[in-house]
Amino acid sequence: MAPFSVDERKNPAPSRREHELSKVIRESLEPVVLTDLYPRTVIDLFVEILQSDGGSRCAGITGASLALADAGIPMRELVAACAIGKIEGKLALDLSDSEDKYGEADLPVAYVPNANLVTLLQMDGELTTEEFNKGLEMAVEACKTIHTMQREALKKKFREIKESVIEKEETEVVA
């Protein structure tokens, strides 16, 4: 996280929280990256948080998954993540920093839709069994929506590249 990413300027050295975020992001993505295609190889992934107002781990997982796919790293599927929280007795999606700090519970979830696989499930605070089940259902549905947006973003990028290549080839043929 950048020193200026939080309200109070932080030490630029990685903190305990940043080590945890790194571990959580890695463990959320490992099930989908086809690492066996790259023996004796390291895939380095850097997530730089420029402004943190809650949801850093979920945004990091979602963005990192998209970045790996964009870089051409073979993956089984994209991973999408979001968090559910409990604020004043009600469940809510995508908490802000203050809602997370002063809320009653936080439930980040990373999900692989086509495999129906949860790759991250953490919880801070207290939820009843009913609230947990409802929150998990809300998170999974939100992750499916995010997953659709990830796929559309990739398709759009590669469609634009394809169109520019075709346009360039047509221009060269005419010239």
Side-chain angles (χ1 to χ4, degrees):
M1 295 177 75
F4 53 82
S5 66
V6 290
D7 292 335
E8 204 169 297
R9 190 168 181 85
K10 64 174 265 338
N11 185 329
S15 67
R16 183 175 167 266
R17 178 171 184 258
E18 290 162 320
H19 285 286
E20 178 203 354
L21 287 173
S22 177
K23 178 183 180 292
V24 165
I25 291 170
R26 178 179 41 87
E27 290 176 354
S28 297
L29 296 171
E30 281 178 338
V32 298
V33 177
L34 300 174
T35 55
D36 54 318
L37 298 177
Y38 297 98
R40 299 181 306 275
T41 302
V42 173
I43 299 172
D44 276 333
L45 181 63
F46 294 89
V47 176
E48 184 73 32
I49 307 295
L50 298 178
Q51 183 176 356
S52 180
D53 184 29
S56 297
R57 97 187 52 228
C58 293
I61 291 166
T62 301
S65 176
L66 199 54
L68 287 169
D70 184 52
I73 302 295
M75 300 168 61
R76 289 178 179 84
E77 190 179 349
L78 294 167
V79 179
C82 71
I84 297 297
K86 184 177 175 185
I87 309 158
E88 297 177 3
K90 296 188 183 203
L91 296 177
L93 275 167
D94 193 27
L95 304 178
S96 69
D97 188 43
S98 62
E99 291 170 331
D100 184 24
K101 286 179 183 168
Y102 303 112
E104 300 153 52
D106 179 36
L107 181 70
V109 176
Y111 185 67
V112 183
N114 292 335
N116 193 28
L117 174 68
V118 173
T119 62
L120 168 69
L121 181 63
Q122 292 182 308
M123 190 170 112
D124 182 30
E126 293 183 17
L127 295 172
T128 66
T129 304
E130 182 181 300
E131 289 171 330
F132 176 83
N133 290 335
K134 173 72 173 152
L136 183 58
E137 182 182 317
M138 288 171 63
V140 165
E141 289 306 311
C143 286
K144 288 177 182 177
T145 301
I146 293 167
H147 181 262
T148 300
M149 295 168 71
Q150 287 173 305
R151 290 177 50 89
E152 289 305 315
L154 285 172
K155 286 179 183 178
K156 180 182 177 196
K157 178 188 177 188
F158 290 111
R159 189 171 32 251
E160 289 171 357
I161 291 171
K162 179 181 175 183
E163 289 169 1
S164 70
V165 167
I166 290 171
E167 185 178 298
K168 182 179 176 185
E169 288 174 349
E170 289 173 351
T171 305
E172 290 174 356
V173 169
V174 172

